[in-house]
Amino acid sequence: MWRVIAAAAAVVVLVVAAVRPAAATDPYAFFDWDVGYVTAAPLGVIGINGKFPGPTVNISTNWNVVVNVLNDLDEPLLITWNGIQHRKNCWQDGVLGTNCPIPSGWNWTYEFQVKDQIGSFFYFPSTGLQRAAGGYGGVVVNNRDVIAVPFGRPDGDITIFIGDWYNKNHTDLRRMLDNGKDLGMPDGVLINGKGPYRYNDSLVPAGIEYETINVDPGKTYRIRVHNVGTSTSLNFRIQGHNMLLVETEGSYTTQQNYTNLDVHVGQSYSFLVATDQNASSDYYVVASARMVNDTLWRRVTGVAVLRYSNSRGRASGPLPDPPQDQFDKSFSMNQARSVRWNLSAGAARPNPQGSFRYSSINVTQAYLLRSTAPVTISGRRRAALNGLSFTPPETPLRLADAYGVRGVYSLDFPERPLRGAPRMGRSIINGTYRGFMELIFQNNDTRMQSYHMDGYAFFVVGMDYGEWTEDSRGTYNKGDGVARSTVQVYPGAWAAVLVSLDNVGVWNVRSENLDSWYLGQEVYVRVVNPEDTGNKTEMAIPDNALFCGQLHKYQKQQTPHHKMGTSAAAAAVVASRVVAAATLLLAGAVMLSPS
């Protein structure tokens, strides 16, 4: 009989929103997070304060956020804040190009302000495929009361995380990639960290815990959906209910109803859903894989239940249909093009968000970023952009700048794909402060990709199949391209975005597909204000900065805070892997023999 030893993090929760005495000071929200391995019936995962998914950071525009993170894992940790712009403050971004990771057993405190932002975002651990094991949670940034919202106040606010899931631990997934293997088809899809409702007795075994979303009849709910998975695009739908799209990643959208919507890896949307249906039974909430073989991937489907408080029966029968043809890429792309910016809505400030006329600004820099399927570089399987595969330096880029460390990177990232065989490199983009940059993502791989930019929201102005050319600019949406931080790029297609480089710092541009990112498909954009001599456009290095690489001599040691001894921690990690491997997750029982 298996014995499960889980390093369940002790719950140490302090969630305080307190206005400091000075009248001019914006509110502060304080959080204490213990990040460790937990058992989440029946998975071995990364949890926060013993919970999976982690707590939601619910704040408002201009609030200051202070998050004290205790790393109770057995490996280094960073938390990144997907879509939070960290104005003038890339020190808090939580990626290896700007921050030293938090060592095992140490704590580190993030402190940042959500300036001029509203909307739906999420956080996750950014190092070593850790997001594939959990550690994620939601970030909700509300409008200040004095700023109008372009729809009535909902009766409730619901956050839903969807994502593909592998039974293997994230360290095993890393080992597969290091050994030159593909991760292959995932074992299933989780909704809020739980497996599928048993909608089909042959596909879903009994005894799996599933998510139930409880609602009252005659209400309207804002439902925020985040794809936090590893690499699979998912189609999201709620049986019998229309979903009125109102916002994506910090921008209000033109309001239109969808019966289903493709949500690609790293993307976030929020919908208004009216509970106006008959309560004779519960309703399915479904997240199913897209752009894949429907028959082969049928078991890779997440199913939750929407339950009215006066429901009179369990959900039953077939799931609501996805788009008819899994490989009908035109349907999905046309759906993506239909997501437009609401030019009449206000955002975090009184002026309308659509007052930024991006089409009237001259582009000062343009980069065509081409991705291809992974290749072997120097004996290792790697992924690249423009023929360069990035490896994070031991000394983070921004830290190297601050201390004058030379040779960490070069400012010669090519504007167009390099000819010849791909190679390793730490070349980054030299962004012009207050310039206007065009990024064209060309996906010459055979599978979907998503690309994200930290520190900014960019305008999605175009996408199409085939190779991008100079003439493609004639097809751009020059009026209401939505501003967001993550864009999908279809296989054999391109997507173009425009971004105003007004945020000083070193900012990550990456594939949100964890395997592509891990294998080197990323680059950084360095934005420097040469006239700033007094930290007016960029905050000074924080007092609690961590030091590593060539600057490790400046680091003051901490006494590790582990709640267990080293051997117990190792046992917990092993046990969590056993749980993950032994789970009945989604497809059927995995047979294990005692050892």
Side-chain angles (χ1 to χ4, degrees):
M1 182 172 64
W2 294 97
R3 291 191 304 165
V4 177
I5 308 172
V11 179
V12 184
V13 186
L14 174 62
V15 184
V16 180
V19 180
R20 293 189 175 181
T25 302
D26 291 308
Y28 274 72
F30 297 91
F31 303 85
D32 278 327
W33 289 356
D34 189 335
V35 182
Y37 298 105
V38 303
T39 299
L43 304 174
V45 301
I46 295 174
I48 297 178
N49 296 338
K51 296 180 179 180
F52 169 66
T56 296
V57 177
N58 197 321
I59 50 180
S60 295
T61 299
N62 288 349
W63 280 30
N64 297 281
V65 181
V66 182
V67 184
N68 180 37
V69 174
L70 168 61
N71 178 11
D72 223 2
L73 304 177
D74 61 336
E75 58 186 20
L77 169 72
L78 280 172
I79 300 291
T80 194
W81 315 84
N82 215 63
I84 299 298
Q85 293 176 17
H86 297 296
R87 304 295 298 178
K88 305 191 297 183
N89 194 11
C90 73
W91 303 107
Q92 310 295 320
D93 197 27
V95 288
L96 288 172
T98 48
N99 301 109
C100 296
I102 307 168
S104 176
W106 286 32
N107 72 287
W108 196 76
T109 301
Y110 291 88
E111 183 168 0
F112 56 88
Q113 187 175 26
V114 285
K115 288 179 175 289
D116 295 337
Q117 281 195 268
I118 54 91
S120 308
F121 313 97
F122 65 93
Y123 60 84
F124 67 91
S126 66
T127 57
L129 265 72
Q130 288 172 350
R131 190 177 83 205
Y136 50 74
V139 180
V140 174
V141 185
N142 303 288
N143 285 57
R144 289 175 290 161
D145 290 339
V146 296
I147 306 299
V149 177
F151 47 83
R153 182 183 294 274
D155 298 295
D157 200 299
I158 298 168
T159 295
I160 296 179
F161 301 103
I162 58 177
D164 57 3
W165 186 267
Y166 291 85
N167 288 344
K168 291 183 175 65
N169 186 274
H170 66 288
T171 56
D172 296 323
L173 297 179
R174 286 204 304 253
R175 193 175 300 112
M176 289 176 65
L177 295 175
D178 290 340
N179 291 335
K181 299 178 181 178
D182 284 321
L183 297 184
M185 185 171 64
D187 294 290
V189 169
L190 302 186
I191 297 181
N192 283 353
K194 298 176 183 177
Y197 172 81
R198 198 178 191 192
Y199 68 96
N200 182 304
D201 291 352
S202 62
L203 289 175
V204 184
I208 291 179
E209 184 181 6
Y210 59 87
E211 177 74 346
T212 299
I213 300 165
N214 293 301
V215 295
D216 292 320
K219 305 288 187 180
T220 297
Y221 293 85
R222 184 171 182 175
I223 296 181
R224 305 173 192 261
V225 180
H226 310 274
N227 186 335
V228 293
T230 298
S231 61
T232 304
S233 297
L234 298 171
N235 182 265
F236 181 80
R237 53 200 185 273
I238 302 174
Q239 183 184 29
H241 292 71
N242 285 325
M243 305 183 302
L244 182 67
L245 180 65
V246 294
E247 177 259 335
T248 180
E249 297 163 20
S251 290
Y252 291 122
T253 64
T254 56
Q255 296 179 16
Q256 51 191 319
N257 278 308
Y258 294 85
T259 56
N260 65 80
L261 186 69
D262 288 346
V263 185
H264 303 277
V265 179
Q267 291 188 332
S268 302
Y269 291 96
S270 66
F271 308 92
L272 296 183
V273 176
T275 52
D276 55 3
Q277 300 300 300
N278 192 305
S280 59
S281 67
D282 299 339
Y283 292 89
Y284 294 125
V285 178
V286 182
S288 59
R290 286 286 281 149
M291 310 300 171
V292 294
N293 185 304
D294 187 36
T295 302
L296 186 63
W297 283 63
R298 188 180 175 197
R299 65 180 177 84
V300 185
T301 301
V303 183
V305 167
L306 183 75
R307 177 166 297 160
Y308 283 44
S309 57
N310 61 340
S311 174
R312 296 188 295 275
R314 292 167 55 87
S316 61
L319 299 180
D321 291 331
Q324 288 189 346
D325 187 348
Q326 283 284 66
F327 295 98
D328 184 0
K329 300 173 186 176
S330 296
F331 172 87
S332 184
M333 184 178 285
N334 287 335
Q335 190 185 63
R337 289 169 173 157
S338 72
V339 178
R340 301 295 184 95
W341 212 21
N342 186 340
L343 300 183
S344 64
R349 291 171 291 178
N351 61 300
Q353 62 179 4
S355 64
F356 193 96
R357 304 299 180 184
Y358 61 83
S359 61
S360 63
I361 302 175
N362 292 326
V363 171
T364 56
Q365 294 176 276
Y367 285 82
L368 174 61
L369 305 177
R370 177 175 293 153
S371 65
T372 55
V375 296
T376 300
I377 304 176
S378 301
R380 299 189 63 184
R381 190 168 185 266
R382 299 290 299 175
L385 285 174
N386 282 6
L388 294 178
S389 183
F390 188 88
T391 55
E394 291 184 356
T395 307
L397 310 174
R398 184 64 193 90
L399 204 60
D401 275 356
Y403 281 80
V405 179
R406 297 181 179 274
V408 173
Y409 63 88
S410 59
L411 282 171
D412 57 355
F413 190 85
E415 294 181 351
R416 294 293 185 270
L418 295 174
R419 296 182 178 181
R423 57 183 174 84
M424 307 287 282
R426 292 201 186 109
S427 176
I428 68 174
I429 294 173
N430 189 15
T432 302
Y433 178 58
R434 290 183 176 169
F436 201 51
M437 181 178 287
E438 178 184 25
L439 296 174
I440 304 107
F441 298 99
Q442 177 76 51
N443 181 9
N444 285 10
D445 201 345
T446 57
R447 61 183 195 138
M448 286 291 309
Q449 293 283 351
S450 300
Y451 290 95
H452 177 89
M453 185 174 188
D454 284 350
Y456 292 94
F458 46 57
F459 300 96
V460 181
V461 294
M463 59 179 66
D464 206 348
Y465 289 100
E467 291 283 330
W468 183 90
T469 68
E470 299 288 335
D471 292 338
S472 300
R473 292 192 176 103
T475 68
Y476 283 5
N477 175 356
K478 297 181 179 180
D480 60 355
V482 73
R484 64 186 311 169
S485 59
T486 306
V487 64
Q488 69 271 51
V489 191
Y490 295 85
W494 56 267
V497 305
L498 299 175
V499 57
S500 178
L501 298 180
D502 60 352
N503 192 12
V504 172
V506 177
W507 303 105
N508 186 232
V509 177
R510 61 175 177 268
S511 170
E512 281 279 38
N513 294 34
L514 293 185
D515 50 351
S516 298
W517 185 12
Y518 179 77
L519 292 176
Q521 205 166 96
E522 64 175 326
V523 67
Y524 283 81
V525 178
R526 179 177 180 264
V527 182
V528 175
N529 179 4
E531 299 178 359
D532 186 359
T533 58
N535 299 321
K536 293 181 179 179
T537 55
E538 185 184 24
M539 294 183 182
I541 183 171
D543 293 337
N544 66 340
L546 294 173
F547 295 93
C548 53
Q550 297 182 55
L551 298 171
H552 73 277
K553 62 184 178 181
Y554 296 113
Q555 181 59 54
K556 297 179 181 178
Q557 293 300 306
Q558 280 189 25
T559 301
H561 293 75
H562 276 309
K563 294 176 173 56
M564 307 166 297
T566 304
S567 60
V573 175
V574 172
S576 69
R577 294 174 184 170
V578 170
V579 174
T583 179
L584 298 176
L585 177 63
L586 310 180
V590 177
M591 301 305 295
L592 295 176
S593 58
S595 58

